[in-house]
Amino acid sequence: AHSLEELLATAPPPPAAAVAGWVEEIARAVGYAHGRGVVHRDLKPANVLVDEAGRIRVVDFGLARVQEGTRLTESLATVGTPYYMSPEQIRGEREVGPEADVWALGVLLHVGLAGCYPFEGANMVQLGARILSGHLAPPSDHGTPIPRALEAVCVRCLQTDPSQRFANGEALADALAAALREPFAKSAGPRSLARALFWLVPLGLLA
């Protein structure tokens, strides 16, 4: 198995359909936890393993917390990986819900689609300020053709107000599944389609 971090760093980079398929599977796995009151709170590519058949496994629930229950781990510091932290985590709120995981999955989707983080900063203070600002440039602004349906899902995940995001992983997974039913190659030329086949066939993502 490889971490999603490793796969996203390969050349050629995975196509939008592969990235969205991975995030859909991660969202469903995390949605299962959400349905049982557990929030991961530290989703990032290094915490996702992909096997040769394309199956996803989410690992490292070390910062997970049961909502309205016992903390699974204790930390006095702000928890989460900075680039993937939601605004509510940046603010240091003690109670964060599934929407924080949805945000992290939106960051992961943005990285996979656009090849960069949605918010960046020279240091933690600057990064936190940009995350809290809510000034988000759509992934396609970074020069990569992205199907509009996938971009809309990504942008909704990255809303500053948690109530404007998908409510949980299952809702996000359903939205991605719907987006993937639309033709994903219409914004891409033959080279991009060849790149898609390079990735999707070995990973079992094309029937």
Side-chain angles (χ1 to χ4, degrees):
H2 297 277
S3 74
L4 191 53
E5 183 175 50
E6 293 173 312
L7 293 178
L8 291 175
T10 57
V19 172
W22 289 329
V23 177
E24 180 194 348
E25 285 200 50
I26 300 165
R28 290 209 187 279
V30 174
Y32 180 86
H34 291 164
R36 284 144 187 80
V38 176
V39 181
H40 190 287
R41 301 199 302 166
D42 193 26
L43 288 170
K44 56 188 176 182
N47 286 343
V48 177
L49 300 180
V50 184
D51 68 17
E52 296 303 321
R55 291 184 294 261
I56 292 288
R57 184 156 57 97
V58 180
V59 298
D60 194 1
F61 275 76
L63 294 180
R65 182 170 182 169
V66 178
Q67 287 184 280
E68 300 179 355
T70 304
R71 194 188 298 253
L72 299 183
T73 59
E74 287 287 343
S75 174
L76 296 177
T78 302
V79 296
T81 302
Y83 285 108
Y84 291 85
M85 287 171 63
S86 66
E88 52 270 32
Q89 288 174 292
I90 293 289
R91 289 191 294 265
E93 295 179 13
R94 291 179 59 83
E95 299 293 337
V96 297
E99 299 88 353
D101 286 346
V102 169
W103 172 281
L105 290 172
V107 175
L108 198 161
L109 185 59
H110 190 287
V111 169
L113 294 176
C116 62
Y117 295 110
F119 303 96
E120 300 194 55
N123 52 54
M124 184 62 192
V125 173
Q126 190 179 89
L127 174 62
R130 289 180 177 171
I131 289 174
L132 292 173
S133 74
H135 295 149
L136 172 68
S140 58
D141 281 9
H142 297 280
T144 302
I146 297 168
R148 281 177 290 184
L150 289 181
E151 182 165 79
V153 171
C154 182
V155 169
R156 181 171 173 184
C157 289
L158 296 172
Q159 295 300 299
T160 306
D161 181 352
S163 70
Q164 299 301 308
R165 300 174 210 150
F166 298 99
N168 51 50
E170 193 68 25
L172 169 56
D174 288 344
L176 283 169
L180 282 168
R181 285 194 290 271
E182 298 190 13
F184 68 84
K186 62 184 178 183
S187 62
R191 182 179 300 178
S192 294
L193 183 56
R195 180 161 57 93
L197 294 174
F198 173 88
W199 274 95
L200 298 181
V201 172
L203 289 173
L205 294 177
L206 285 180

